[in-house]
Amino acid sequence: MGIIGSLKDSLRKILVRAEFDEYLDDKNMHCTARIAEMLDNFSRKLQKSAENNFTEDFLLEEIKVLEEAKGIWLPNFLPRQAFRTMLQRKLDKISHLPLEFMGEVWDYIETVVIIVLKHHSKEYPQLQSSMTRAVKNLVEKMKEKAFDQVTEMIKMEKVTDYTCDEEYMEVWGKLMASQNEFTWVTNDLAITGVMKYPAVPSNLKIEGFGTVEVKHLINYPSSIRDQALI
């Protein structure tokens, strides 16, 4: 019981309370900092994977989906199925990342728990092997449970077409701030042609997206272009 009690206390300190006095010189055991780094890395991967090739293929994927969702709709209304299709495609591209992140975190936790366990059971070397196996089995069960929960969350996101995330409206607002300029540039390019009037810009700077090429969009109807931007 002494080993288990000491183990629990040490794990609470390094995993929950961010107290590292037992492992001051071992940065790998500064768990909250290491897990925060994993989370930051996961966030960067998520953002990178979600990015389109804005410089060359801006809105092309959206336009292709809209063309396949043609129907008799009211103007300026995005077909719900088109939105859900684009949402599911984007989620499919990144759905493996949360599972990879969970695996990385649980592998790290398993390593930490075993190190702490061995430290507190060093007076009982004959027990370390069996206790290590028990820890690995327990962590594996918890990992499977966590994976099931994350998988279920991802599935729910694929069938849900609304969000409470305020950042979504912020990004959408940045896009809409460029809507008039986008319409003017693409319409002018479609009418005048890129080669005939080189003074007409073939790219557009959109806050949050950088400078994007739009000349490849002139072959599509203006209504489709505007819907794709929205």
Side-chain angles (χ1 to χ4, degrees), residues 10 28-29 40 68 84 110 125 130 138-140 143-144 175 209:
S10 292
N28 191 53
M29 298 298 287
D40 289 341
E68 293 304 313
R84 289 191 61 180
E110 178 183 298
S130 58
L138 177 61
V139 170
E140 187 62 31
K143 184 192 295 186
E144 289 179 3
L175 270 175
F209 294 85

Side-chain angles (χ1 to χ4, degrees), residues 176-187 201 203-205:
M176 293 304 98
S178 303
Q179 185 178 22
N180 289 337
E181 186 178 2
F182 172 82
T183 301
W184 176 80
V185 169
T186 52
N187 285 346
N203 54 47
L204 181 66
K205 187 174 182 179

Side-chain angles (χ1 to χ4, degrees), residues 3 14 71 126 141 198 227:
I3 296 175
I14 62 178
Q126 69 275 17
K141 290 179 181 179
Q227 275 192 325

Side-chain angles (χ1 to χ4, degrees), residues 19-159:
E19 298 175 6
F20 312 126
D21 51 286
E22 295 182 26
Y23 302 94
L24 287 176
D25 298 324
D26 189 351
K27 290 187 177 181
N28 191 53
M29 298 298 287
H30 299 178
C31 299
T32 53
R34 301 292 79 78
I35 292 176
E37 288 175 354
M38 294 178 197
L39 184 60
D40 289 341
N41 188 42
F42 165 66
S43 179
R44 286 192 294 269
K45 286 182 179 179
L46 205 59
Q47 292 294 331
K48 185 177 181 180
S49 297
E51 289 176 356
N52 288 323
N53 188 349
F54 293 125
T55 57
E56 297 178 0
D57 299 328
F58 183 62
L59 296 183
L60 275 186
E61 182 180 359
E62 288 81 357
I63 287 176
K64 290 177 181 178
V65 172
L66 285 169
E67 287 186 325
E68 293 304 313
K70 286 180 180 178
I72 302 175
W73 315 107
L74 292 173
N76 300 322
F77 278 80
L78 180 67
R80 183 169 181 265
Q81 187 55 43
F83 178 80
R84 289 191 61 180
T85 299
M86 287 185 283
L87 177 64
Q88 289 174 359
R89 285 185 178 182
K90 293 182 183 298
L91 285 172
D92 284 338
K93 290 180 181 179
I94 63 174
S95 60
H96 66 285
L97 292 175
L99 298 175
E100 291 177 1
F101 170 67
M102 291 297 297
E104 182 182 8
V105 170
W106 278 108
D107 288 345
Y108 172 70
I109 290 175
E110 178 183 298
T111 300
V112 168
V113 173
I114 290 174
I115 289 174
V116 176
L117 174 65
K118 289 183 176 180
H119 172 71
H120 288 292
S121 63
K122 59 185 177 182
E123 301 296 331
Y124 307 93
Q126 69 275 17
L127 299 178
Q128 287 187 342
S129 178
S130 58
M131 287 191 294
T132 298
R133 285 197 302 271
V135 166
K136 288 185 176 182
N137 290 335
L138 177 61
V139 170
E140 187 62 31
K141 290 179 181 179
M142 296 177 70
K143 184 192 295 186
E144 289 179 3
K145 185 176 180 180
F147 270 50
D148 290 341
Q149 291 174 337
V150 172
T151 301
E152 185 65 24
M153 291 170 65
I154 293 172
K155 288 180 180 178
M156 290 297 295
E157 288 294 328
K158 289 182 179 180
V159 298

